[in-house]
Amino acid sequence: AQQPRADIRPGPRRQSSVRVVMPVMNVLLTCAGRRNYLVRYFRQALGGRGQVFAADASPHAPALQEADAAYLVPSVDHPEYIDVLRSLCREHSVRLLLSLNDLELPVLAQHRNAFADDGTIAVVSSPAVIATCFDKWATCRWLQSKNVTAPRTFKTLADAYQALERGQIQFPLVVKPRWGTASIAIHTARDREDLELYYRVTQRELGQSMLSQVSEPDGAHAILVQEGLEGDEFGLDIVNDLDGRYVCTFVKRKLAMRAGETDRAITVASADLQCLGQRIGRALGHVGNLDCDIFVVDGTPYVLEMNPRFGGGYPFSHAAGANIPAAIVAWAAEEPVDPAWLQIRSG
């Protein structure tokens, strides 16, 4: 781990006849990658009372260049990864730790109590919630159990063919990894020839990608076939507090995607989708932000995915007035949350 580029010191004191000591609230963003904007958002939220650190396994991660201190750490699957993070947190008085990568969430969830023992709040959901969201098959089953509509999904090619023969689904169909991230190895099949071809292609791509290891526990069912939906695509930021209690939902209509993330979007006011976000947030009990993908087809919302972290669409909510980083800092400090942070302007 590299040494920080700046000394860690408390922010400025308030001007008062009584000395007020504000608690240091240092933040560490792990798997920081190119989320430069979150470095800036948290720095603004801290208002000088702490610093924003970034950690990544690559020295070329752009977010490392903007953080107050940057640390090179082992890869997430390294046996000493958690020990290295805990050491950084203890040494540099990190109060809040947030992961920005799907593959890291299961690891952090298993150790969030250990971080708490060190005085660090790992803003990550329980292992059960992380497992439900990371496993797209488990996501579909959970949604069905809560009477939330999801696309028809099949664990085997044979099951998909049977559904086609029965008329339960029709093309286009989506072939995707069961444990996926960043839209890796996702293909749309327009006919049977496509379906067989893309299934084989996805198998090969999985074996050659960073998803190969996480797919090993059930390799025979590591690829899903899902009905393709054609309609308006929306992204929800479903926000819970640090105790998993529902707070609010922000809605955006997606206009363009790039590398699996929202590239262009417009904020909208939708009572129906906000109500859906409330149902999901209360039932799931996740911690912090949940990035949720929705297709609305003929007025019916279908939930595709739930990602319990800041997603690539969050900056649109932030630009429209939201400030979830500030709310997280306030919750961690047991301070009041400004209601304005939990609202966005539509349009």
Side-chain angles (χ1 to χ4, degrees):
Q2 297 178 339
Q3 292 300 313
R5 294 194 295 265
D7 292 334
I8 301 172
R9 55 175 66 89
R13 302 189 189 105
R14 297 172 179 171
Q15 296 300 317
S16 171
S17 58
V18 178
R19 180 181 177 183
V20 178
V21 180
M22 299 296 288
V24 174
M25 188 67 66
N26 293 327
V27 175
L28 174 62
L29 304 178
T30 60
C31 291
R34 53 189 177 150
R35 311 273 188 175
N36 304 53
Y37 53 85
L38 281 175
V39 174
R40 295 193 291 271
Y41 294 166
F42 273 99
R43 182 179 290 124
Q44 292 164 2
L46 290 171
R49 63 195 288 185
Q51 294 182 298
V52 181
F53 307 143
D56 202 281
S58 169
H60 307 297
L64 298 184
Q65 312 309 315
E66 292 195 35
D68 294 310
Y71 302 100
L72 288 178
V73 296
S75 60
V76 171
D77 58 355
H78 192 281
E80 296 181 4
Y81 182 71
I82 291 296
D83 290 338
V84 170
L85 285 189
R86 289 183 64 187
S87 177
L88 284 174
C89 290
R90 290 192 300 265
E91 183 177 354
H92 302 297
S93 302
V94 171
R95 181 60 174 158
L96 284 166
L97 181 148
L98 295 96
S99 171
L100 309 180
N101 185 283
D102 294 318
L103 300 180
E104 185 185 20
L105 295 177
V107 180
L108 288 183
Q110 294 290 341
H111 295 90
R112 62 178 188 165
N113 290 338
F115 283 101
D117 291 340
D118 296 335
T120 299
I121 300 172
V123 184
V124 62
S125 300
S126 69
V129 169
I130 297 299
T132 295
C133 296
F134 191 35
D135 180 346
K136 308 311 178 187
W137 174 252
T139 298
C140 290
R141 295 183 64 186
W142 183 88
L143 291 167
Q144 291 167 358
S145 74
K146 304 303 177 184
N147 295 317
V148 175
T149 308
R152 294 182 181 89
T153 304
F154 306 91
K155 281 203 300 183
T156 69
L157 199 55
D159 290 342
Y161 279 134
Q162 288 182 2
L164 280 168
E165 293 169 2
R166 294 170 183 163
Q168 296 173 332
I169 56 172
Q170 59 185 10
F171 288 102
L173 298 174
V174 176
V175 182
K176 61 192 290 186
R178 178 175 171 181
W179 295 275
T181 186
S183 292
I184 294 173
I186 295 180
H187 301 281
T188 300
R190 301 289 173 180
D191 53 36
R192 287 178 178 263
E193 184 177 357
D194 273 359
L195 184 56
E196 293 181 5
L197 171 63
Y198 286 138
Y199 198 88
R200 293 196 301 272
V201 169
T202 300
Q203 284 179 318
R204 177 173 296 181
E205 290 176 338
L206 270 183
Q208 297 172 345
S209 76
M210 59 184 175
L211 300 176
S212 60
Q213 185 173 347
V214 297
S215 300
E216 285 180 359
D218 194 359
H221 303 103
I223 299 173
L224 302 179
V225 179
Q226 193 171 72
E227 64 175 329
L229 300 175
E230 297 182 356
D232 294 324
E233 188 172 1
F234 293 84
L236 307 185
D237 287 313
I238 304 175
V239 182
N240 282 5
D241 66 16
L242 299 184
D243 294 315
R245 295 173 299 209
Y246 175 77
V247 175
C248 62
T249 297
F250 308 132
V251 183
K252 293 147 294 193
R253 182 165 62 87
K254 298 184 180 184
L255 304 178
M257 300 291 292
R258 177 171 54 87
E261 293 190 349
T262 307
D263 194 45
R264 280 178 279 170
I266 183 168
T267 55
V268 298
S270 171
D272 289 343
L273 292 182
Q274 285 178 312
C275 234
L276 177 60
Q278 183 182 68
R279 287 175 56 198
I280 292 173
R282 287 180 172 174
L284 189 63
H286 63 280
V287 171
N289 197 63
L290 180 79
D291 179 54
C292 194
D293 294 335
I294 308 279
F295 263 97
V296 176
V297 182
D298 297 328
T300 300
Y302 291 75
V303 178
L304 271 70
E305 293 193 359
M306 304 186 300
N307 302 300
R309 55 169 172 76
F310 278 104
Y314 173 71
F316 298 97
S317 296
H318 200 89
N323 198 337
I324 299 310
I328 289 174
V329 169
W331 287 325
E334 299 183 353
E335 297 172 351
V337 171
D338 187 337
W341 297 340
L342 309 176
Q343 302 175 30
I344 62 172
R345 300 182 302 275
S346 62

